[in-house]
Amino acid sequence: MSAPALGVCYYPEHWPESIWAEDARRMKDLGLSFVRIGEFAWSRLEPKRGDLRFDWLERSIDTLHGEGLKVVLGTPTATPPKWLVDEMPDMLPVDENGHRRAFGSRRHYDFSHEGYREECARIVTALAERFGNHPGIAAWQTDNEYDCHGTALSYSPVALAAYRAWLKEKYGTIDALNTAWGNVFWSMEVDDFDRIELPIATIADANPPARMDFRRFASDQVVSFNRLQADIIRKHSPGRDVIHNFMGRTTTFDHFDVGADIDVTSWDAYPLGFLDDRSDRDDEWKRRFMRAGDPDFQAFHHDIYRATSNGRWWIMEQQPGPVNWASHNPTPREGQVRLWTWEAFAHGAEVVSYFRWRQAPFAQEQMHAGLLRPDSGEAPAFPEAKKVAEEIAVLDIGAESGQSAAAIVFDYPSSWAWEIEDQGAEFDYFRVVFDTYCAMRRLGLSIDIVPASVSDLSGYGLVAVPALFAFTENLTQALAAFEGEVLLGPRSGAKTKDFAIPESLPPDLPADMLDMKVARVESLRGDVPVPTGAGAFRFWREFVEVGPKAETELASADGEPALVRQGNLVYMAGWGDEALLEATVKAMAERAGLSTVDLPDGVRLRRRGRLVFAVNYGNERFDLTTLGLGGTAILGSADLAPSGVAILEGTR
Amino acid sequence: MSAPALGVCYYPEHWPESIWAEDARRMKDLGLSFVRIGEFAWSRLEPKRGDLRFDWLERSIDTLHGEGLKVVLGTPTATPPKWLVDEMPDMLPVDENGHRRAFGSRRHYDFSHEGYREECARIVTALAERFGNHPGIAAWQTDNEYDCHGTALSYSPVALAAYRAWLKEKYGTIDALNTAWGNVFWSMEVDDFDRIELPIATIADANPPARMDFRRFASDQVVSFNRLQADIIRKHSPGRDVIHNFMGRTTTFDHFDVGADIDVTSWDAYPLGFLDDRSDRDDEWKRRFMRAGDPDFQAFHHDIYRATSNGRWWIMEQQPGPVNWASHNPTPREGQVRLWTWEAFAHGAEVVSYFRWRQAPFAQEQMHAGLLRPDSGEAPAFPEAKKVAEEIAVLDIGAESGQSAAAIVFDYPSSWAWEIEDQGAEFDYFRVVFDTYCAMRRLGLSIDIVPASVSDLSGYGLVAVPALFAFTENLTQALAAFEGEVLLGPRSGAKTKDFAIPESLPPDLPADMLDMKVARVESLRGDVPVPTGAGAFRFWREFVEVGPKAETELASADGEPALVRQGNLVYMAGWGDEALLEATVKAMAERAGLSTVDLPDGVRLRRRGRLVFAVNYGNERFDLTTLGLGGTAILGSADLAPSGVAILEGTR
Amino acid sequence: MSAPALGVCYYPEHWPESIWAEDARRMKDLGLSFVRIGEFAWSRLEPKRGDLRFDWLERSIDTLHGEGLKVVLGTPTATPPKWLVDEMPDMLPVDENGHRRAFGSRRHYDFSHEGYREECARIVTALAERFGNHPGIAAWQTDNEYDCHGTALSYSPVALAAYRAWLKEKYGTIDALNTAWGNVFWSMEVDDFDRIELPIATIADANPPARMDFRRFASDQVVSFNRLQADIIRKHSPGRDVIHNFMGRTTTFDHFDVGADIDVTSWDAYPLGFLDDRSDRDDEWKRRFMRAGDPDFQAFHHDIYRATSNGRWWIMEQQPGPVNWASHNPTPREGQVRLWTWEAFAHGAEVVSYFRWRQAPFAQEQMHAGLLRPDSGEAPAFPEAKKVAEEIAVLDIGAESGQSAAAIVFDYPSSWAWEIEDQGAEFDYFRVVFDTYCAMRRLGLSIDIVPASVSDLSGYGLVAVPALFAFTENLTQALAAFEGEVLLGPRSGAKTKDFAIPESLPPDLPADMLDMKVARVESLRGDVPVPTGAGAFRFWREFVEVGPKAETELASADGEPALVRQGNLVYMAGWGDEALLEATVKAMAERAGLSTVDLPDGVRLRRRGRLVFAVNYGNERFDLTTLGLGGTAILGSADLAPSGVAILEGTR
């Protein structure tokens, strides 16, 4: 892997052509390498049907290329122009209330609309043919932020037709579907795929397996929509990376599936907006980290997205200052933009690209900061980016670590399953997995995310599989062969793939692997924790029966098994709080021979090859040497100020 | 009345026919007498129009009957199959936003749809003709849980047409309607019934009398829908009870009216789900009784439903463990299923039937516990049911008490009225009545519920009429003739039947009965109680003028009359808090010669004939002898453990 | 200006004609001068098309006139009758979900419906021709409470057509619109006005300038709707005032624009309902003033509405007791109705008219108190009104003050702008301005409201321009010429009129006026105040760069400029809390030579000519002499009881 690089998002169509050259020069001087352009420019590229105007785009590419900048060209399919929408108004998606959505912002299309797919193919082909071999084009971005604003789900007639076809393809016969769905319940049996309806507007909840299949279908629609573009680009633009920019805490479609069709996963990282609007943390925590972001949220996504395209990943949009969309939009603490950037490199990012070059004074995002202010003055992120550029120019941070000490299985379908059947108001797949992740992080462990389809876990010391909806055959076999420690539960293997309770009760693993049954479960009020010897369960607990081959390693205060072990497999029979998860992971890590440390809330470590990166999200200075970490600081120092970054070499 | 019995809800269509016999045997061994089946099986009984397949049902009835079990056969009209819905899609109800609801769960029909009523008559006739005289059929259940998921109200074109016809029938001329509704206000007068619209989507609130008539109409539609089935069943199945299963805290239709057309009221009791989602109690209370349920909520419904079909009532569905539908679904405390069962018998239930036999591993209710687990193992409720079966087999608990010491008027139209005109965010009819009920219960009183149409109150020591929308002539005369103590208010008789303020101001009673006027009212923030000499008003208070024939028995701290007495009638001029209600009821009970005790929060008593039943919902042991209750325990002991049940004989 | 007078709202159509004379006599005896009638009576004035029945109205006017009462005749256009709605159902408005609203209450019309405008012109012409010169008619009220229940915005096809025409009129060419709106962003460019859509149902937020123009358009529709009626009335009823009754905290249309077309602004004052439902105050404050109302809320509106029709204003509806529409509807404290009445006179009201004469026992407002109870007995407000009538009959309170010491710019478009782009959950224009107003009031200052179009500020000592969306040329010049103190910020001049960030950054003022730039802003959680030397910013702060001509007068604890002064202009770089606003205003007032006092929460003063009025909303007695105010009390005394009113003459 090459040295890390910086980039920026730029909209030449927003600015007079007269300033493009100066912009390019300043980008170059700042130390940027990549510039993403074009992803919302359809109305300028084709102001009316067939009237293609690519010249301005070419001039802008030439200008950037002239300064040695590498262009990432976005396909403009997230913003079809009005004339196109007016030609086929049924391309607009329909919301869960049955209301047709409207033109006037972005992402106003239905993934299932064949006519729109043809239009996308047409414009992408035209762009790829024209620019596919331009020397300034280094990569392509397909569309922009799939599912942003909740657009992966549409309840339109075209979606219904596609869903029925998808079901017919999956099940073959309607009897197979009736059986798989358990449609005998409540007389839901149907005699033809054309009698299937979308799972909305029902009086009581629609059938979970029906809802699950709708979610699988909707995810598949995103995948095929993206693949259509990726295939065209590959054909016309050899040697360039195909990229898509994913988002934070977005699980509506399977990112592993989309990731398999592209070369590089990228994601759009807005730490302060995410903390305010997409975090389960309490008010005290949000107040404390208001200007820094959650200490684990970014890293968690870095690790997820390092997995979705086999290790290659970018940040396509990095928050540079206050944004315009969260409930509160504070300014980042000084140094924090640099920290976020370095943290991404610590987790293996190839490129961190800031959003955006210059704050636009008009339209929806006029309150979104950039590297430049609307008056072209330098915004606070500018010197921070510059500092990083100078640092990466002289530091050799070596190769990515390859494999971390620990791994967590992250599975998109599980998030759909537990959204469909939370069984308790607080149960949320992302949150359960994130809690496990945080426990490992507080102990200083570096973590890989792996999909549920993983077939080999060798090399890891510790693997966690929290709340997995249904085991894959691959994973079951991988676990059987694995020699490290495995942490399962709660709800792992709670269902068959058809969304039913396994015949011999969960977890759906062979008894010779784990000789226990979840006899029943309960969801609990937040003010009723279930104490154990070390920490407690909260929100969720399971009553398990332990067979002779397994043993109870920890019990609840009421005498029920809390941790059950069989060989290297441990099942946690509830949703552990911070203390329980940390104690459990710590003991298992020790057993696996992994060394751990006890980090304060704001300090986090990640090993990358020979180096250990440390960042300080906290409000207090922290001395890394108190952790017993040795080594030499090649960036910063072991005395880590708030927003500080240190890279230690030679640490044990 | 015969000895109490146990039952269970069973779905033979969900299981292989090969296990039916074993299921029946285990039911019998457990001590069950009744089995409800069939109520959601339309798609199996008639997979396509006219293709009636009743043989499997007959075999399952035979199997159960073969073990001596008595079958309650449900009509399947709560789940019309998809082929039928597709034939007449306008049978689907329309919600208050004007959106047509969809197939895919249950209760997807409009009570006003004539075509669907014909279909119901057809399938019920076919079932009743086939099974009406089967020796295994002991009773019938019409449909299932009317109004569940809010389905008693539909805003469809067919509902509008039926509503107009109903209004024409009621008022005769449009002028009569204009006058009754006060339509001169805001130019709402119309010149034809066909100009009447549904009371939705109006800019400001629709006219209260119009909304009230719509609610009366909607209630009547449920009544006639049910009566259609009851009549058919009676014709073809002589000697069998017709039953419907009502729900908890459901007031959308008049249960007295439906109750008049059936033989036995039953209801579906889910104490833990109700506490979490349908209770006004605060978080501390909910935490405290999380695994037991509210100590008064079940009893209140037992007493309501003992009234709706003249004393005969069942529990058709008794919660046996965690359910799938509440915000939190904890497991009941050990012994609590037994307690709930015994408490129902204490209040006169003929049968308690558990829902369901075996937890279904598929579809919407897969997380709903049963007596058996999905793997056919015994769930925790199984041994508790067994214990009750053994107890009732040997104990003679005698006849129901016949008449309790106290009575409360409960009136469904009043709940509609105050929903339409709460006049303060917290005002809720159910809650006001329930508060009064709880005050009596804390004093150890046994209570009968009576309808507002009651014409004779003799035999009671104390009668409460809280928040009654409008007096009936019957009730006014009954009160005039009554010699016991009567507690009225707040808001009792606040309106005429046409939803107007009575000409000489409320309460709408003759001055020679109660010489006082409610000059004005106010609703109050929860943090502004109005203290009186004993407790306080909260949320609601009234300023009354007391005439010479009446006297102020208690005043507010600000000098206003709080309790006004004239002879045996007492009017409470506000919504009393716990202390005020308890002090008032206690003093009135004494005056009426009724003895009271002071019970702790979790302990409750009910007298049934010669016996006093005691249950302990609380978390602490309680010694009943400290109440000065004498007598011999024929079940349990006076030292009542948590979840304990005792039956005392010979208690004063 | 003549002596202040009292009035009442009356609905002769609600009562038997036989009691009209007695009602009129009692009104006269009470001391009332004005009676508003007719504004909801269309169905009685024209029960079917063309069947005009004005005789009853004439008899009622004659009856009132016969007692010397002056009639304000309302046009009935807020309640079109059902026959008219059935003739053109598309006159009903459409809500933001695309749902057509329904007949059945009031205000059920779309301001953009040409057919309905013609009907309004027809009925108003008929009324004006018939009664325009009746000697009993003193004034007219157009329609009733524009925008009540959120009716100024409709998303109907007729609204869309009118909006497109309005845009074409404003921009001329579609290119001009594309440029002004910044439509290049997200490919929102269109090539024809007919491609413009309503700004609803978009996936992400619609473009701010598009939303802003829709709001301007909607406001203009109200203005032209009103003007149509005003013109007709003026033509047929010379010498009579044209009035409209506005509401509290209603900013959906520009009241200055409507005010310019009428003679007298009136507003409907419901202090207790407003405190419960339309106030940002915390629970403690709401509890404390529950029976008095917010001490500044009424005054703020008095001052706004004194401005909208050049000084002439009334209260058309004054709350006399509990209302029917708030979340809680307590009874006012004794004396408070008198206080509210006197406070209106203190601020220059010509007339205070109570709503309503007699509480209606029927229809939607049956729980709304009047001067009389439904049984015609006197309600508590009756003697209070009588007392005021007696007081104003003997007191000479002289002329309105003409100009106050301080002024605040209040601008309706700014409220639309910050609703469209709050950039932080709490940012609200009304609230920011109200906070500034309250700070001045707590210091005893009397305040004038001025529009953003003001061209001359001379005579004021202190002018505040908080959160002004965009400066007008007039205002910029007025500020440049002004010699008093000016308080700007936060967000003042943050945008161009096209809703873009000004080219050289905000505030959009010449650098020689204010040499500073808002480099960036941030919105903050409520629990993260930004302390300064005196008080703190909350919710909102700005980072400003101060040029050489300006100076930092106060800094935040983190060293950023908090108050920037250049000459007489001060810019506050955040949303000041109570302490900061009060300290700032106090210092500026001193500098401007205005004397201030420190008032307790509940006591407020207003100077009117030679007199100082004092009112006590608080719960404790307060001695005005502690403020060092001299003078003689011509009403009440300096020792001000709760709900007390005092008028001091000769106060410094």
Side-chain angles (χ1 to χ4, degrees), chain A residues 396-439:
Chain A
D396 170 16
I397 61 168
E400 231 296 284
S401 54
Q403 188 169 8
S404 298
I408 298 179
V409 171
F410 189 78
D411 177 55
Y412 291 89
S414 295
S415 79
W416 313 332
W418 305 143
E419 186 183 326
I420 290 166
E421 190 193 73
D422 60 19
Q423 179 65 13
E426 292 81 4
F427 203 90
D428 176 275
Y429 178 70
F430 181 96
R431 190 172 174 185
V432 173
V433 179
F434 187 58
D435 279 4
T436 308
Y437 181 85
C438 291

Side-chain angles (χ1 to χ4, degrees), chain A residues 213-287:
Chain A
D213 269 343
F214 182 72
R215 300 299 295 270
R216 288 173 175 129
F217 152 77
S219 177
D220 284 358
Q221 294 299 95
V222 176
V223 173
S224 62
F225 182 93
N226 178 74
R227 188 184 299 136
L228 177 69
Q229 297 196 15
D231 287 350
I232 292 168
I233 294 166
R234 287 232 169 74
K235 180 173 165 193
H236 296 290
S237 192
R240 274 73 175 182
D241 286 325
V242 180
I243 310 180
H244 180 75
N245 57 331
F246 295 120
M247 298 187 296
R249 198 167 186 165
T250 299
T251 57
T252 320
F253 61 93
D254 194 320
H255 291 47
F256 288 107
D257 288 348
V258 172
D261 289 330
I262 57 179
D263 299 297
V264 178
T265 287
S266 73
W267 80 288
D268 297 345
Y270 293 93
L272 303 195
F274 293 151
L275 179 64
D276 207 55
D277 280 4
R278 298 191 193 175
S279 166
D280 304 304
R281 297 292 196 174
D282 63 20
D283 278 341
E284 199 285 323
W285 186 272
K286 289 189 176 185
R287 188 189 60 67

Side-chain angles (χ1 to χ4, degrees), chain A residues 40 42-44 82 86 99 101-102 105-106 291 323 327-329 331 361 363-364 366-367 373 375, chain C residues 99 187-189 195 197 201-205 207 423 425-426 495 499-501 517 520 522-524 545:
Chain A
F40 295 128
W42 197 332
S43 75
R44 285 289 161 100
K82 187 61 170 13
D86 284 350
H99 294 162
R101 307 298 295 275
S105 61
R106 60 178 179 176
R291 297 190 185 282
V323 299
S327 298
H328 302 95
N329 297 296
T331 204
Q364 279 96 333
Q366 55 185 273
M367 302 302 282
R373 306 187 315 203
D375 68 348
Chain C
H99 294 161
S187 280
M188 293 182 294
E189 291 162 310
R195 294 216 196 259
E197 303 292 347
T202 50
I203 307 285
D205 286 340
N207 199 356
Q423 180 64 13
E426 292 82 3
K495 303 288 174 180
F499 215 125
I501 298 173
K517 284 183 181 192
R520 65 187 195 281
E522 65 176 358
S523 53
L524 297 164
E545 294 177 354

